[in-house]
Amino acid sequence: MGFEWIKIPYSLLTLFIVVNYGLLLNALIAKIAARVGRRHGIPIWQNYVDMIKNYGLRTSITHGVMFYMGPVFRLSGGVGLLLFVPTIYGSVMFSNLSFAGDLILALYFVFFGTLGMALGAGESGHPYAAIGVSRGLAQVTAAELPFALAVFAVALQYETLSVTEIVAAQQGSYLNWTLFTNPFAVAAAMLSFLGSMMRPPFDVVLAPQEIPIGPPTEYHSSYLALMQTNRAIFPIAKMVVYMNLFFGGAVSWPIFFVKIFLIYMVSVLVGVVFPRFHVEHSVRWFLIWAVPLGVIAVAIV
Amino acid sequence: MDKKTHKDPAKTSAELPSVDLNPPEVQPQKPPAPPAERTIELPEELRKRTVKGPGGVEIEVEPLRDYYCEAPPTVMPAAYSKIVEDLFNWARAESIWILGFGTGCGAIEMRPLMTPRYDAYRYGIQWRPTPRQANLFVISGYLSVKTLKRAIRSYEQMQNPKYVVGLGSCTINGGMYWDSYNTIKRLDEYLPVDLYITGCMPRPEALLAGFMDLKRMIRAGEAEGANKYAEYFDWYKANQKRVIKDWDMPDYSW
Amino acid sequence: MIELYEQLKQRYALGEISVQRFDLVFITVPRENLASLLLYLRDTEGFTHLVLLTAVDWIEDNKFQLTYLINNRESATDLGLRVIIDRDEASMESIHDLWPTAATYQRELKEMFGIDFPGSPRIDEDFILEGWTEIPPYRRDFDTLEYSRDTYLERPGRSTSDPAQHMKQLFYPEDKD
Ligand code: SF4
């Protein structure tokens, strides 16, 4: 099978849609949180303005090569994750490059951004960045564990590592979703999902009040704008993986939007209710609650 | 107030010896203070020293030279095309990120802006915890020399374009700290101020109105404080060094 | 409190006493007695809390007065011990071994009044002022107005009005006297 060049504009289109959706979704979430506090909240286009502003700053300084690479790695983590899983199942236009990579690659990309960030933030030499990074790595590693177990369970269950085939197996009725066929795996994965979304109670990595904002402390202007872009893409990409693995994928954009929104709301709702965990708390929490669920999920398949 | 302690204001002022707060020139001036005996030394970690590297290599370290980039700032031109610059100015005006650094009493009046009652977020105003990401530095009240030092460094770490708003009468002419041995009286001598908001304390509404004015200025491309700072860098530095007697930092911190 | 004073008087040489309130008393003590008195009051009489340590500049007498205010939580009473020291060679024994917090007060006094406390931790470091070159600013012969005029640039056009006169003008403009 030769490479179809038409896939490139198609993927770019996916990327474009996802970026915009991500920016709007983030603003919408902020707006909902503001409404809960009886505020007006930010305008829905605020994220765009902030990005233009950051790209438009006249000066920027660097701390070395890795400092440049940090945001780039992070962004490629998000983009890569997005492109190697089928965004819309059954659509030639939006299944992207999913033929080329499987679940393991996707797993790798989830971690990739954090690692890139660790390198970049380490180079900035700011102590808060270092604290943030070490917390982030500890927490992401702990959160990754149940997710990996859940993914193994799913892979065993469907006896494939291809995301497309996993989605295919879940079509038909919602009773075919992994959510119902293997609830333990989904539970473990959703707990891990909470941990990787950087929302309370697992936002000690950014911790705006104590270590100014953790890893990105030194980032500014275009670097920051790049990272903002990634903040739009990465959660969505991640949720696409979840949606594909556990919630039956999406066959059209409206279903995609709704499902992503609902998955996102899970972490938001948990976030507004619970206060922040310490890193050691959250690591322990993942090991005690999420990992056994993952083990059960693998065991019963 | 209780009756006994309440005095007729007129009577009180009559009892008080009249204090002339602005002595005329004819008053005999005290001789100038003798030159300082105490010479101020750089703190240990900033002094020039030799360190032993691995393998016994001796390395001369001069921290202020080696660890910081001291190159003075340069005037940054606007974007080439007017349309692009206008777009950027619009974005800058609509997305003002304030550095979360409170210097005086005024810091307390900034907080209500985040609350549901005033909710500055709806105007695109946010607080950022690091100077690298902030565009607006609100000097919220009196600035002691010690704080001025930190304020200068924070300001210099912000990225061009950046704005400074002076809050309260203390930043304008010293306010009620006009005779203090430790607070500066005119902020614009030390940092390029775009806008002053008067009052002691200004109400949050006044702050919001001030921010709206600032937005208008940014939009019109008038708020070029960072370039002004770069252009008159020597003048600002001279003023700063006159009051900060123990200058133990790089001349410009990037 | 008076009983305490009488009782202390039998053991220590004490100066005059001034009773401010029933629960606040100041006693002047000679400087040699201070440390032992404080130790006794802390360990035996229950004055466990050092509220503050501050100084007064009696420039006319060429003296500094140090005030050690201690508090007894049980009986909710405060006792101030006043020590008069010489102004020219202002120096006093440190009490940081009785209350570690005293070291901070002593640093401040060193900086603001120039009173030395030999042996107190970090006594020579800058406390609030950084790079101060004049005489310590809380000494009364330091002219803060003049200093601020010389050092900090002023904005012209500042005017000052007497608050009482101003309010009178505002509310009773017809009332002339
Ligand atoms: S202007 Fe008034 S409120 Fe503001 S810092 Fe000065 S004294 Fe405080």
Side-chain angles (χ1 to χ4, degrees):
Chain A
M1 192 177 84
F3 184 71
E4 294 166 47
W5 291 102
I6 189 68
K7 281 198 179 291
I8 292 181
Y10 284 167
S11 320
L12 289 180
L13 183 62
T14 315
L15 208 54
F16 178 76
I17 296 176
V18 167
V19 168
N20 286 302
Y21 181 55
L23 288 172
L24 290 177
L25 190 63
N26 282 346
L28 184 67
I29 302 284
K31 191 114 184 138
I32 291 174
R35 281 300 183 179
V36 171
R38 294 238 185 152
R39 290 189 289 120
H40 276 280
I42 58 175
I44 199 92
W45 57 83
Q46 184 66 46
N47 285 340
Y48 292 95
V49 183
D50 287 349
M51 259 171 62
I52 299 176
K53 198 269 311 270
N54 277 330
Y55 280 120
L57 284 187
R58 293 191 191 128
T59 54
S60 58
I61 56 161
T62 176
H63 292 279
V65 181
M66 276 328 284
F67 190 72
Y68 280 116
M69 297 307 280
V72 177
F73 277 4
R74 190 136 183 120
L75 189 63
S76 48
V79 174
L81 183 58
L82 184 68
L83 290 188
F84 282 109
V85 293
T87 314
I88 304 292
Y89 168 72
S91 144
V92 190
M93 264 178 92
F94 300 113
S95 59
N96 301 328
L97 311 172
S98 57
F99 59 89
D102 56 15
L103 210 41
I104 303 296
L105 187 69
L107 268 188
Y108 170 69
F109 269 121
V110 173
F111 215 81
F112 189 69
T114 317
L115 282 178
M117 201 57 229
L119 292 173
E123 179 105 1
S124 79
H126 200 284
Y128 288 143
I131 298 176
V133 163
S134 58
R135 288 178 180 186
L137 284 180
Q139 186 168 303
V140 169
T141 313
E144 204 76 340
L145 218 55
F147 181 56
L149 285 172
V151 167
F152 288 145
V154 172
L156 283 176
Q157 182 186 356
Y158 298 110
E159 294 179 340
T160 173
L161 275 174
S162 152
V163 184
T164 319
E165 283 173 38
I166 293 178
V167 182
Q170 297 180 50
Q171 297 306 312
S173 141
Y174 61 84
L175 284 177
N176 291 345
W177 292 4
T178 319
L179 176 59
F180 298 104
T181 55
N182 193 348
F184 286 108
V186 178
M190 284 318 281
L191 293 184
S192 132
F193 172 69
L194 296 180
S196 58
M197 289 304 281
M198 301 285 172
R199 295 199 144 269
F202 300 105
D203 62 344
V204 76
V205 179
L206 297 177
Q209 290 86 5
E210 38 168 336
I211 48 168
I213 42 179
T217 308
E218 279 286 301
Y219 281 98
H220 53 271
S221 43
S222 327
Y223 310 115
L224 188 65
L226 261 190
M227 304 215 308
Q228 281 177 318
T229 320
N230 182 60
R231 285 197 83 152
I233 298 178
F234 191 69
I236 308 279
K238 193 140 189 208
M239 286 184 280
V240 171
V241 176
Y242 276 77
M243 183 180 71
N244 281 333
L245 291 185
F246 309 119
F247 301 102
V251 287
S252 67
W253 282 110
I255 296 185
F256 171 87
F257 290 147
V258 172
K259 280 191 179 171
I260 293 287
F261 179 75
L262 289 179
I263 300 178
Y264 205 161
M265 280 318 276
V266 171
S267 93
V268 173
L269 289 182
V270 172
V272 292
V273 178
F274 289 101
R276 180 184 293 159
F277 272 149
H278 279 194
V279 174
E280 61 271 22
H281 290 164
S282 60
V283 169
R284 210 176 301 144
W285 188 84
F286 282 123
L287 293 186
I288 291 179
W289 294 104
V291 172
L293 282 176
V295 174
I296 295 175
V298 176
I300 62 172
V301 170
Chain B
M1 204 194 277
D2 118 20
K3 266 270 150 50
K4 257 190 280 171
T5 56
H6 182 86
K7 285 190 195 147
D8 183 354
K11 217 165 149 198
T12 323
S13 73
E15 282 164 11
L16 283 172
S18 85
V19 184
D20 192 356
L21 296 173
N22 297 312
E25 291 301 311
V26 285
Q27 267 194 3
Q29 292 277 316
K30 273 196 183 174
E37 274 153 42
R38 190 176 155 207
T39 52
I40 294 158
E41 288 180 358
L42 281 176
E44 176 111 31
E45 66 273 14
L46 290 180
R47 267 179 241 156
K48 218 170 158 174
R49 59 176 181 260
T50 355
V51 289
K52 267 229 168 77
V57 206
E58 301 231 324
I59 311 169
E60 279 251 318
V61 184
E62 197 183 347
L64 282 183
R65 281 277 131 64
D66 299 351
Y67 297 166
Y68 300 95
C69 170
E70 277 197 303
T74 46
V75 178
M76 303 303 280
Y80 291 114
S81 141
K82 175 104 177 53
I83 298 178
V84 177
E85 184 65 15
D86 280 350
L87 172 71
F88 281 162
N89 276 339
W90 169 79
R92 284 165 195 154
E94 292 305 314
S95 151
I96 294 182
W97 290 4
I98 302 179
L99 176 60
F101 181 4
T103 61
C105 334
I108 233 43
E109 291 292 312
M110 299 247 293
R111 300 306 172 256
L113 288 182
M114 303 182 203
T115 60
R117 176 145 187 178
Y118 299 105
D119 188 26
Y121 291 98
R122 69 199 143 124
Y123 301 116
I125 296 169
Q126 287 186 39
W127 280 260
R128 299 306 284 193
T130 134
R132 292 276 186 229
Q133 298 172 5
N135 313 110
L136 171 61
F137 195 173
V138 179
I139 304 285
S140 45
Y142 60 82
L143 208 50
S144 70
V145 174
K146 191 174 174 177
T147 322
L148 176 67
K149 221 162 144 182
R150 276 80 184 166
I152 291 169
R153 287 199 75 169
S154 306
Y155 176 75
E156 289 175 351
Q157 288 181 37
M158 288 159 61
Q159 300 300 314
N160 186 346
K162 46 192 169 184
Y163 321 105
V164 177
V165 166
L167 197 63
S169 36
C170 280
T171 53
I172 301 173
N173 62 4
M176 66 192 236
Y177 296 97
W178 61 284
D179 61 349
S180 158
Y181 57 91
N182 202 21
T183 57
I184 59 158
K185 285 192 272 197
R186 277 182 73 167
L187 180 59
D188 47 42
E189 300 277 342
Y190 310 100
L191 291 174
V193 180
D194 292 292
L195 188 86
Y196 280 115
I197 301 174
T198 58
C200 174
M201 218 26 271
R203 295 266 315 155
E205 290 92 337
L207 254 89
L208 277 183
F211 289 151
M212 293 305 123
D213 278 345
L214 182 69
K215 274 189 173 190
R216 232 163 289 143
M217 287 171 60
I218 299 175
R219 205 108 154 223
E222 289 163 9
E224 287 291 354
N227 280 345
K228 204 170 127 204
Y229 191 68
E231 201 177 335
Y232 302 105
F233 187 64
D234 294 335
W235 185 77
Y236 280 114
K237 276 295 143 185
N239 283 345
Q240 291 166 2
K241 286 196 176 167
R242 191 159 55 238
V243 294
I244 302 179
K245 306 233 167 97
D246 61 333
W247 187 274
D248 55 358
M249 49 191 193
D251 267 1
Y252 187 75
S253 12
W254 282 94
Chain C
M1 292 295 266
I2 301 295
E3 303 91 78
L4 179 67
Y5 178 69
E6 295 300 336
Q7 189 194 330
L8 286 177
K9 216 172 159 182
Q10 294 166 6
R11 269 191 258 174
Y12 298 95
L14 296 181
E16 59 183 297
I17 174 171
S18 54
V19 181
Q20 302 280 0
R21 295 194 307 255
F22 70 92
D23 59 352
L24 176 63
V25 169
F26 287 93
I27 304 174
T28 312
V29 300
R31 65 183 285 177
E32 313 76 67
N33 285 356
L34 179 83
S36 58
L37 195 55
L38 280 175
L39 186 65
Y40 172 75
L41 286 168
R42 186 189 74 174
D43 291 347
T44 318
E45 298 292 339
F47 285 90
T48 50
H49 173 45
L50 175 69
V51 182
L52 55 84
L53 163 54
T54 185
V56 183
D57 186 0
W58 297 108
I59 190 169
E60 295 82 358
D61 307 339
N62 205 20
K63 293 273 185 261
F64 276 128
Q65 169 197 324
L66 288 171
T67 306
Y68 298 77
L69 190 66
I70 51 178
N71 168 270
N72 183 336
R73 297 262 172 102
E74 295 293 85
S75 59
T77 46
D78 291 296
L79 176 61
L81 298 183
R82 290 191 291 224
V83 177
I84 307 290
I85 59 173
D86 190 36
R87 196 169 176 281
D88 292 329
E89 260 166 61
S91 144
M92 178 68 200
E93 288 75 40
S94 167
I95 57 157
H96 69 271
D97 42 356
L98 295 181
W99 281 280
T101 44
T104 309
Y105 287 117
Q106 292 171 1
R107 252 177 95 194
E108 185 184 15
L109 289 176
K110 169 88 197 263
E111 180 167 278
M112 290 306 196
F113 286 93
I115 304 174
D116 197 8
F117 294 86
S120 181
R122 304 171 67 197
I123 185 77
D124 288 324
E125 281 174 43
D126 283 339
F127 182 57
I128 299 174
L129 306 169
E130 285 181 348
W132 187 254
T133 51
E134 305 288 316
I135 56 173
Y138 281 4
R139 291 199 171 203
R140 273 169 59 211
D141 46 2
F142 172 76
D143 187 341
T144 160
L145 178 57
E146 193 195 8
Y147 178 81
S148 104
R149 261 203 200 112
D150 293 347
T151 316
Y152 307 111
L153 296 149
E154 272 180 66
R155 188 183 300 278
R158 188 187 165 104
S159 67
T160 307
S161 47
D162 177 48
Q165 288 296 336
H166 178 77
M167 294 316 272
K168 204 174 140 212
Q169 282 274 318
L170 206 62
F171 291 120
Y172 313 102
E174 68 286 344
D175 187 15
K176 304 233 163 33
D177 74 84

